[in-house]
């Protein structure tokens, strides 16, 4: 029984990795052909995260951020490097990380680490980050691996630090996508996973003005 579950997990991850290995290192590919919504996406993310940033009790510092499932660094470039001194990136697809320095340009000098790893295996450095941003990648993790990754991410926060998930949300149930081997969870399940990780949601907001035909996209901040 356990072996079957393990085998399913192996195929779930290897199929997802194979899908992304076959995609070009472009913004359009990062967004599944919706490259034109990148500006709108980053703008809303900046507004969402800005409410937590600053100095003083409970505020989130701006020294170091981690971009999870970073791809070529679309979010690192437009959202994180303008707000944080130093950024680390982690992604399972090596070709995307190799492309990142050229895509980031001169600001790449403020990216310290390009970790090539699945988030299911990755251990962010404890007590290291003010912000951990996790966008459009959680569907590639099983519930158990996502819960455990959130626990490790929580341990990787500096005082006042915060974790944000931004991702597609299903209206009900869990929707499987066989093309890229991912799942889309409903909001209740996502909130339950956050709770199971031992954190609390401090703010959540649905993205405005995205195309009608795509999933609702939610930003969820937790600590
Ligand atoms: C839809 S793209 C999003 C990229 C980036 N977050 C953005 O919004 O521009 C999904 C990214 O997740 C990465 N990915 C897929 N499975 C992963 C895993 N198990 N661990 C880490 N990264 C993964 C892919 O290589 C790809 O770069």
């Amino acid at each position: 029984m356990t072996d079957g579950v393990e085998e399913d997990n192996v195929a779930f991850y290897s199929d997802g990795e194979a899908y992304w290995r076959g995609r070009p290192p472009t913004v359009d590919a990062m967004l599944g052909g919706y490259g034109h919504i990148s500006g709108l996406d980053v703008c809303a993310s900046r507004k969402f995260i800005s409410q937590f940033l600053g100095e003083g009790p409970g505020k989130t510092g701006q020294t170091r951020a981690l971009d999870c499932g970073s791809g070529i660094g679309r979010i690192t470039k437009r959202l994180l490097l303008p707000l944080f001194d130093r950024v680390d990136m982690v992604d399972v697809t090596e070709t995307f990380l190799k492309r990142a320095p050229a895509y980031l340009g001169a600001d790449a000098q403020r990216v310290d680490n390009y970790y090539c790893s699945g988030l299911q295996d990755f251990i962010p450095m404890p007590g290291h980050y003010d912000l951990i941003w996790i966008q459009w990648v959680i569907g590639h993790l099983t519930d158990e691996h996502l819960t455990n990754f959130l626990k490790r991410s929580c341990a990787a926060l500096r005082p006042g630090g915060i974790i944000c998930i931004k991702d597609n949300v299903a209206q009900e149930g869990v929707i499987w996508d066989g093309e890229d081997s991912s799942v889309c969870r409903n909001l209740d399940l996502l909130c339950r996973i956050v709770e199971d990780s031992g954190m609390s949601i401090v703010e959540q907001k649905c993205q405005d003005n995205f195309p009608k035909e795509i999933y609702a996209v939610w930003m969820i901040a937790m600590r």
Side-chain angles (χ1 to χ4, degrees):
M1 197 62 180
T2 313
D3 281 352
V5 172
E6 287 299 314
E7 275 167 30
D8 287 350
N9 277 356
V10 169
F12 174 64
Y13 286 108
S14 62
D15 290 353
E17 284 174 32
Y19 172 83
W20 286 107
R21 257 199 317 276
R23 306 302 301 155
T26 62
V27 167
D28 208 45
M30 297 299 103
L31 298 181
Y34 282 84
H36 60 283
I37 66 170
S38 185
L40 199 58
D41 165 56
V42 170
C43 219
S45 301
R46 189 180 305 118
K47 192 166 171 208
F48 183 73
I49 195 64
S50 291
Q51 63 187 306
F52 304 108
L53 304 179
E55 284 172 24
K59 285 293 191 181
T60 300
Q62 289 174 259
T63 304
R64 193 176 289 278
L66 174 66
D67 185 356
C68 299
S70 62
I72 59 171
R74 183 185 68 88
I75 297 159
T76 288
K77 185 179 174 101
R78 304 278 179 220
L79 178 70
L80 302 179
L81 282 169
L83 291 173
F84 293 84
D85 297 338
R86 321 286 314 176
V87 176
D88 288 339
M89 292 167 49
V90 53
D91 197 282
V92 79
T93 309
E94 197 175 14
T95 47
F96 295 166
L97 294 174
K98 283 205 164 129
R99 171 71 188 153
Y103 169 70
L104 296 171
D107 275 339
Q109 64 189 357
R110 293 192 290 114
V111 175
D112 289 325
N113 297 289
Y114 300 90
Y115 296 112
C116 189
S117 171
L119 298 183
Q120 65 277 16
D121 302 316
F122 185 65
I123 305 175
M125 195 185 290
H128 202 56
Y129 298 104
D130 297 299
L131 171 69
I132 298 181
W133 191 266
I134 309 169
Q135 182 161 351
W136 277 321
V137 65
I138 59 168
H140 286 294
L141 301 188
T142 64
D143 289 359
E144 190 186 354
H145 285 163
L146 177 57
T147 308
N148 289 334
F149 179 65
L150 290 177
K151 284 182 187 169
R152 296 195 296 278
S153 295
C154 184
L157 292 179
R158 287 155 55 102
I162 200 153
I163 296 171
C164 288
I165 288 177
K166 184 167 186 176
D167 220 302
N168 298 339
V169 167
Q171 244 178 5
E172 55 181 324
V174 177
I175 299 170
W176 164 247
D177 183 341
E179 191 189 353
D180 67 355
S181 186
S182 70
V183 293
C184 181
R185 302 173 172 92
N186 66 53
L187 197 56
D188 283 349
L189 176 54
L190 209 44
C191 293
R192 214 159 49 238
I193 287 174
V194 172
E195 204 176 288
D196 288 347
S197 77
M199 287 188 285
S200 304
I201 293 173
V202 292
E203 191 68 60
Q204 59 185 55
K205 187 178 184 326
C206 186
Q207 168 79 42
D208 292 321
N209 301 322
F210 267 4
K212 296 274 173 286
E213 72 274 15
I214 64 174
Y215 284 116
V217 172
W218 280 77
M219 294 174 273
I220 303 172
M222 65 203 79
R223 44 168 57 130

